[in-house]
Amino acid sequence: MTVTRNRLLARRARSDTRDWQVKRRERTRQLIELGGLVAKSGLVELTDDDRAVLLGVLVEAAARLRGEDRGSQLLLWRRRGKRAFGDAAADQAEARTSDR
């Protein structure tokens, strides 16, 4: 009975279209995706999941973006990020073909 009730409540929450609820789900999704990027970058393992270090790295990046070379820094990081996404896509494609 409790399981059925919980499923009903979860289904109702997912289909709630009130503006504040939709915005909350969008923000939650964005935060999950950003956390995934931090994990994908390898920083979690490299810092032994030290949250203070991770925040320090992000604060340092924000400080660099406030500097004079903002455009070149964004360009550099965008290229590295696209390369990392490409490498990840290639790794996934290779894993799919090796499973066959």
Side-chain angles (χ1 to χ4, degrees):
M1 178 118 157
T2 304
V3 173
T4 305
R5 186 175 141 266
N6 288 343
R7 285 183 184 159
L8 176 64
L9 292 174
R11 187 178 314 130
R12 195 178 298 158
R14 282 191 301 272
S15 62
D16 191 344
T17 57
R18 289 178 289 184
D19 190 46
W20 68 270
Q21 188 68 16
V22 170
K23 287 180 181 176
R24 181 172 178 237
R25 278 196 300 271
E26 288 172 357
R27 177 168 162 64
T28 299
R29 180 182 177 100
Q30 179 189 30
L31 292 174
I32 290 168
E33 288 173 349
L34 291 172
L37 291 175
V38 171
K40 180 178 235 146
S41 73
L43 284 172
V44 176
E45 292 81 21
L46 290 170
T47 63
D48 292 326
D49 198 10
D50 186 329
R51 310 292 167 90
V53 173
L54 290 170
L55 181 58
V57 168
L58 295 171
V59 168
E60 176 66 25
R64 287 189 183 195
L65 291 177
R66 288 186 193 98
E68 294 177 13
D69 63 336
R70 172 186 167 86
S72 61
Q73 194 67 61
L74 283 172
L75 182 64
L76 173 68
W77 288 341
R78 186 173 290 114
R79 286 179 182 163
R80 286 183 182 168
K82 286 182 177 182
R83 235 181 289 131
F85 275 131
D87 291 348
D91 290 345
Q92 288 174 354
E94 184 177 315
R96 280 192 299 269
T97 57
S98 66
D99 288 343
R100 293 180 184 173

